[in-house]
Amino acid sequence: MVMWVFGYGSLISKAGFHYDERVIGFIKGYRRVFYQGSTDHRGTPEFPGRTVTLEPAEGEICWGAAYKISKEEDAETALTYLEVREKQYDKKEYLDFYTDLTATSPAVSGVMVYIATADKKANVNYLGPASDEQIARQIIKSEGPAGPNRDYLFNLEKALLQIGCKDKHVIDLANEVRRILEEEQ
């Protein structure tokens, strides 16, 4: 049985598991937002970092990378790894994945996607929307075991540009972080 995993954040450039194929494409009906708190990777419980999650958005698409995992033992290892890495994400969805903007049918159906929902009972780390400046300031001051939160943002911006995606939310936040850092020098 083949397993597919869709990455829309750090998974785009750093899978962390063995896969057979990496395909660039998108899912429909969602947008990427920096609304999820990270208290275990890019922040701490005292100063949570911000990472991306998906928010339902009619008519929008979210670009990323899908990973095909064919061997059962690779799939089990990947799933075990992802359950730890994505443990603050409270929902798994199985969505259609597209590679062509004009396609009427998906390239792959049933791609697994981790989502951090806005349900504060199921997801205690959900931070929700804020102004770009507020999010940027939180990203600047947050650091966790995986490093500074700003590195997560800048790495995501770079990874998206490398796959040809200009995500306005990510670019605007990265530019706001740069502006504030430059101001503070």
Side-chain angles (χ1 to χ4, degrees):
M1 185 176 120
V2 173
M3 180 172 94
W4 284 87
V5 178
F6 178 70
Y8 56 90
S10 60
L11 279 177
I12 294 171
S13 59
K14 185 181 175 190
F17 52 84
H18 179 78
Y19 57 89
D20 302 301
E21 186 179 356
R22 177 179 182 260
V23 181
I24 302 305
F26 59 91
I27 56 172
K28 294 181 177 181
Y30 289 91
R31 70 184 191 111
R32 179 182 5 254
V33 289
F34 267 85
Y35 293 176
Q36 177 63 8
S38 173
T39 59
D40 61 343
H41 291 314
R42 294 296 181 166
T44 63
E46 299 77 30
F47 294 104
R50 278 190 178 255
T51 56
V52 291
T53 186
L54 295 175
E55 177 178 76
E58 190 67 35
E60 295 207 30
I61 61 173
C62 178
W63 285 90
Y67 298 92
K68 177 183 180 182
I69 306 164
S70 301
K71 294 180 187 156
E72 187 176 338
E73 61 270 17
D74 288 343
E76 288 173 12
T77 302
L79 202 51
T80 300
Y81 170 77
L82 288 167
E83 289 297 319
V84 172
R85 179 173 171 169
E86 308 298 331
K87 70 182 175 218
Q88 294 188 335
Y89 288 68
D90 60 307
K91 186 176 180 184
K92 269 190 282 199
E93 288 278 338
Y94 295 87
L95 304 172
D96 288 337
F97 174 77
Y98 298 83
T99 55
D100 182 350
L101 290 168
T102 61
T104 55
S105 58
V108 181
S109 289
V111 174
M112 186 175 67
V113 183
Y114 286 86
I115 299 174
T117 67
D119 179 351
K120 291 293 276 177
K121 285 184 181 163
N123 179 10
V124 296
N125 291 307
Y126 182 77
L127 297 174
S131 71
D132 282 355
E133 183 178 356
Q134 289 170 315
I135 293 174
R137 290 191 183 281
Q138 185 170 3
I139 287 171
I140 288 168
K141 76 175 184 179
S142 299
E143 185 169 343
N149 198 184
R150 69 184 82 165
D151 289 355
Y152 173 89
L153 169 61
F154 294 145
N155 290 340
L156 177 57
E157 178 190 39
K158 180 181 176 185
L160 288 169
L161 291 172
Q162 286 174 340
I163 65 169
C165 173
K166 292 182 179 173
D167 186 304
K168 183 176 173 4
H169 179 62
V170 174
I171 291 169
D172 288 351
L173 279 176
N175 286 336
E176 184 66 9
V177 166
R178 287 184 195 98
R179 183 191 67 77
I180 292 168
L181 289 172
E182 195 172 291
E183 236 176 46
E184 292 177 351
Q185 285 183 357

